[in-house]
Amino acid sequence: MSEHHIHPVPDSFKAHAAIDAERYRAMYQRSVEDPDGFWAEQADAFLTWDKKWDKVCESDLRKGEVAWFKGGKLNVSVNCVDRHLEQRADQVAIIWEGDDPSEDQMITYRELHTEVSRLGNLLRERGVKKGDRVCIYMPMIPEATYAMLACARLGAIHSVVFGGFSPDALKDRILDADCQVLITADEGVRGGKHIPLKNNADKAMNACPGVHTCLVVKRTGADVGWKEGRDIWYEQEVERQSDHCEPESMDAEDPLFILYTSGSTGKPKGVLHTSGGYLLQSAMTHKYVFDHQEGDVYWCTADVGWVTGHSYIVYGPLANGATTLMFEGVPTYPDASRCWQVVDKHMVNTFYTAPTAIRALMGAGDKWVTQTSRQSLKLLGTVGEPINPEAWEWYYRVVGESRCPIMDTWWQTETGAHMLTPLPGATDLKPGSATLPFFGVQPVLLDNEGHEIEGAGSGNLAIKAPWPSQIRTVYGDHQRCIDTYYSAYPGYYFTGDGARRDEDGYYWITGRVDDVLNVSGHRMGTAEVESALVLHPKVSEAAVVGYPHDIKGQGIYAYVTLMGGEEPSDALRKELIDLCVQEIGAIAKPDIIQWAPGLPKTRSGKIMRRILRKIAANELDNLGDTSTLADPAVVDDLIDNRANQ
Ligand code: 6R9
């Protein structure tokens, strides 16, 4: 239905955007026919290099080996801060909007330079040097950005851990990357509630003897635990540092950061990105996809704990000398009008958020939107999961008053930057489609045997040529990187997503084809939630699947088998939910727990998730072949006792 509802490029963008349809086609063609020439030009245009590279691209996708601009030297913090001082020292770099609507702060590029330099010096004083890992566990406050950029200045590798993760999840990530320094705050503030970050960090650090320094930003002034020698107050120590901090000149292929993300098996993987290629593609996409213009105020509502926060709050916009808004709170506090009030208050031109937020705000009713002006808005964006056409149309019509094109950007932690996306001056929009590939990106659809599907059709989405902001490795385990992304279809990067391509070559992401959930745009492995559930002594087995959820996109549906003699109860249900929160974080709370005396298994003992997904989705007349099950009666029992949603 809505597939045929095409929104053409608005005249305003046709006339002024950097790239129109013709230019997109020409540039795209050039980018795939002469990738080295194309990317060399872009790298020259977007970044400032201490020394030019020896080779543009070197890659062997069969081995998961990718390198861009090797031999080239640059410093990412210099690109994001210092080089703007001549032109825009007094321009606002970061607008910080607090959780409390009466709190905000403007940080100019000059101030950003001072803050990053001082923190860089403090980290250096504590022994941090090139290649060291620094963990950042922070609320959405400017210090989170200072911390990322200060690491980049020294050539230290940051690992940002989302502030919503539990002490256990933090501990695993600190240990996996062997971080010796942790930067955190006493507490975070979101939606009027305080989050005990330092106390969480203390619990994690108890099991991380390698952490010798913990810098603590005072956000609320709450009482926190303290270990002399290890813990130091950020403000106190930063204040006495010099404003000059010599940047480390890094190879383009030196690591910039590690960011953990969930896969279908095992513990989260530390996705590693490097300096040159990552910064180039995040800057370039920020410029072209959002048609960033001098003076624009740009707001991405993500958290810096996710890749969207890395590429589109911090690195992309700051590399382009933009004004980036950083929001501490949530879209529904104090009420569902908050985002639009912030848009009016700071005259935001570009607004980039996730479908789950759009659906929640749509559910709250139009009046929260229409009571605000939003005249400053020029362009809207969405990311994180497929957007249903109804939510797309509401976003377009009510929020953007049919004036602002919507950029539906498909990409992943592993891709570092946008991969499938419209360009506002070039691409006619179809609600629900991430449209066409960005420059240099060569998507293909593969059938299950690995053959490329030509023309319109559906299949497994893979990428057949390297791109600059591609994952370089899984930290400490390159074999896992190969196994996860490059073994299924040798010679291709496999995304884990399924997609359809229509007659116009537009891509429609249909969701994950593996055991990865996407809950409110947060990626989570079913295996992670299952491991948490089976920690409970009364649980013998657990199987977790996703099911369609109106707001979250997917909800978490857990089938739990208890040990012999144990009885289900509401108290036990609560204990299991608490266990998931404790092991992973609040985002991993099962929405539904169904007590399952048995799980559908093949004769070889493999759980048939396909059937569990159907039962969870209430698609009962279409269960498929159950004849290979060891005990088909199990399925009838699960259907009879299906949890009410
Ligand atoms: C940036 C980010 C990646 C997974 C990805 C896909 C889903 C992201 C999407 C989308 C449809 C979009 N996804 N953007 N699906 N349309 N515009 O979200 O990274 O957290 O690693 O998640 O999210 O399934 O594979 P990450």
Side-chain angles (χ1 to χ4, degrees), residues 6 34 63 137 158 222 328 348 436 510 614:
I6 295 177
D34 173 22
K63 296 187 187 149
Y137 182 61
H158 61 68
E328 187 183 38
V348 172
L436 299 168
T510 48
K614 296 260 180 187

Side-chain angles (χ1 to χ4, degrees), residues 331-332 336 340 354-366 368-369 385 388 391 394 520 550-553:
T332 47
W340 324 122
T356 185
I358 298 166
R359 287 191 298 264
L361 295 173
M362 179 169 82
D366 293 7
W368 300 107
V369 187
E385 53 174 315
N388 46 314
W394 181 84
S520 299
D550 283 352
I551 305 287
K552 300 182 186 181

Side-chain angles (χ1 to χ4, degrees), residues 308 384-386 408-413 497 509 512 518 523:
T308 305
E385 53 174 315
D408 179 351
T409 59
W410 175 88
W411 58 295
Q412 310 178 295
T413 306
D497 280 337
I509 304 295
R512 302 289 304 193
N518 192 326
R523 256 170 85 169

Side-chain angles (χ1 to χ4, degrees), residues 234-246:
Y234 180 110
E235 288 82 354
Q236 220 167 304
E237 298 294 318
V238 150
E239 224 163 63
R240 56 178 181 79
Q241 301 292 334
S242 136
D243 293 356
H244 177 80
C245 176
E246 199 53 35

